[in-house]
Amino acid sequence: TDPATGRSIVLQAINAAVFKQPDNILYNYALLFQYLSEKKTPVQIPAPVKTRSGNLGWRDEERHFWRATTFMEESYAPDTVNDPVSAKTVARCFASLTRSLDGLDPGRLRVIIPDFHNLTFRYAQLEASITAASMERLLKSTHVISELRERKYLLNFYESLAGHPDYPDRVMHHDCKISNILFHTGSGRPVCPVDLDTMMPGKFFSDLGDMIRSMAASVEENSQQWEDIDIRPDFYRAILEGYLEEMGGLFTKKEKTNIHYAGLLMIYMQALRFLADFLGNDVYYKTSYPEQNLHRALNQLLLLEKLEAFLSQAYSFDTTGAV
């Protein structure tokens, strides 16, 4: 309980293994909260709660870093998206957060995870892991390596965004899943996005692409049911519609023209990351069996192929000459 207000609080430990500079998370959160509060935007986030000494964080005797926010009464966070209507709601909610922060200079936020959605960096990671990998792991990965290398058109498009005035940085969530949205227990309507630790500057594809990757896919990323991997058209359209209902007025003409790159870029990036981790002996993602990261990479490659086919058929989306 917050002694100043008597309200319940949420006490959280920040994962020091992932977030090397937890003070930056607290700095960003305070900045976001102040901006949203002062502007009285449609989206409001839980208030940060200070310690008795007036700080936003506290490190215990074991060097664990803690922070607190007010508890949002009569709210819950679901785990799964079961229908296109829910997918659209999730997309609108995260888009509404970015839209509400449109007047805040993204450059004022501190970068929490450097190069998190930097495709140039992720591609270089893969190439470095190929050079250093054991022959055993290389031989198992030959097909996936070849297919990912053949899709350098995605890297070329990504690199065309750097410094381009039609692709500005915006404040993005970077972890867009339904479990990071609070819903009202009575009405079932969204209250606000939470888990804002990865709020950073990002490009148009980051949040939208990640939602397409996770919600439009017919199976989740650990599935080995290769024949079942597909893009669900109704979910894809719902995510796109929900996101553009909030962000369409802010997107540039170029961003709208190339909107379908969002899912392609994020699925490709995740495939690169899974494969690089497999070739590097599984040091980043937790695994429950030896070839899990390779199977995850194959899962994402198959999903990418399905999305390419779907976009070509449903939207006549041409991936050449987009720069």
Side-chain angles (χ1 to χ4, degrees):
T1 304
D2 182 357
T5 63
R7 293 186 60 181
S8 298
I9 64 171
V10 176
L11 186 64
Q12 294 174 300
I14 294 178
N15 188 336
V18 176
F19 303 109
K20 306 297 184 183
Q21 297 177 293
D23 284 318
N24 286 348
I25 293 175
L26 303 183
Y27 172 87
N28 283 357
Y29 195 96
L31 180 66
L32 296 171
F33 177 77
Q34 181 181 12
Y35 182 87
L36 293 170
S37 299
E38 290 178 353
K39 297 295 183 180
K40 295 181 171 56
T41 63
V43 176
Q44 296 292 311
I45 59 176
V49 177
K50 293 183 178 180
T51 64
R52 288 190 177 93
S53 56
N55 298 317
L56 290 172
W58 174 71
R59 201 178 290 276
D60 65 21
E61 296 80 2
E62 297 178 352
R63 305 303 294 166
H64 296 133
F65 198 90
W66 297 84
R67 54 90 181 274
T69 56
T70 55
F71 176 71
M72 304 296 281
E73 304 285 351
E74 299 182 357
S75 66
Y76 70 98
D79 292 323
T80 56
V81 175
N82 297 316
D83 54 71
V85 174
S86 298
K88 184 175 182 178
T89 299
V90 171
R92 283 198 65 175
C93 190
F94 284 114
S96 181
L97 175 63
T98 295
R99 184 170 63 85
S100 294
L101 293 165
D102 181 54
L104 177 65
D105 178 7
R108 294 182 62 191
L109 274 78
R110 295 174 181 171
V111 175
I112 303 301
I113 306 176
D115 297 314
F116 189 46
H117 284 178
N118 182 341
L119 189 58
T120 302
F121 173 75
R122 298 302 182 188
Y123 193 90
Q125 268 189 326
L126 176 63
E127 291 296 338
S129 70
I130 292 171
T131 302
S134 68
M135 186 58 65
E136 179 188 5
R137 295 206 174 207
L138 274 177
L139 290 173
K140 292 178 179 178
S141 309
T142 303
H143 168 70
V144 182
I145 291 172
S146 175
E147 290 295 323
L148 292 178
R149 280 175 164 170
E150 286 183 9
R151 284 169 171 78
K152 283 193 74 172
Y153 77 90
L154 291 168
L155 178 62
N156 295 337
F157 174 74
Y158 170 80
E159 292 183 338
S160 75
L161 308 182
H164 199 301
D166 287 330
Y167 299 100
D169 284 339
R170 293 189 173 87
V171 181
M172 295 285 180
H173 188 282
H174 288 94
D175 192 13
C176 297
K177 52 193 177 188
I178 195 170
S179 59
N180 284 339
I181 296 176
L182 295 180
F183 289 79
H184 191 269
T185 51
S187 67
R189 294 177 179 173
V191 177
C192 65
V194 289
D195 197 2
L196 308 182
D197 295 351
T198 51
M199 292 288 289
M200 296 179 286
K203 297 296 185 185
F204 77 97
F205 64 84
S206 285
D207 288 357
L208 176 60
D210 206 27
M211 286 186 283
I212 290 169
R213 189 187 76 82
S214 59
M215 293 195 295
S218 57
V219 298
E220 54 92 31
E221 63 190 23
N222 287 297
S223 174
Q224 296 177 57
Q225 303 300 315
W226 314 124
E227 66 281 359
D228 294 334
I229 296 173
D230 209 345
I231 292 291
R232 298 184 286 186
D234 49 350
F235 278 74
Y236 184 92
R237 293 188 177 95
I239 295 164
L240 206 63
E241 288 171 8
Y243 203 79
L244 288 175
E245 281 179 11
E246 295 291 335
M247 286 296 298
L250 295 178
F251 273 166
T252 66
K253 184 178 179 181
K254 281 276 191 182
E255 287 173 317
K256 290 177 183 176
T257 299
N258 292 312
I259 195 73
H260 297 296
Y261 269 98
L264 295 168
L265 288 169
M266 290 307 299
I267 295 169
Y268 183 59
M269 194 178 311
Q270 195 58 55
L272 295 175
R273 294 181 67 187
F274 282 143
L275 185 58
D277 201 31
F278 173 73
L279 293 172
N281 300 312
D282 308 314
V283 296
Y284 187 82
Y285 294 107
K286 290 182 180 179
T287 57
S288 56
Y289 63 92
E291 296 183 0
Q292 188 169 12
N293 274 325
L294 176 59
H295 291 161
R296 286 166 170 161
L298 177 58
N299 173 301
Q300 294 297 284
L301 173 59
L302 293 171
L303 184 64
L304 181 59
E305 291 173 350
K306 293 291 187 178
L307 181 56
E308 287 173 330
F310 167 69
L311 294 177
S312 176
Q313 181 179 14
Y315 294 94
S316 300
F317 187 66
D318 182 11
T319 56
T320 62
V323 176

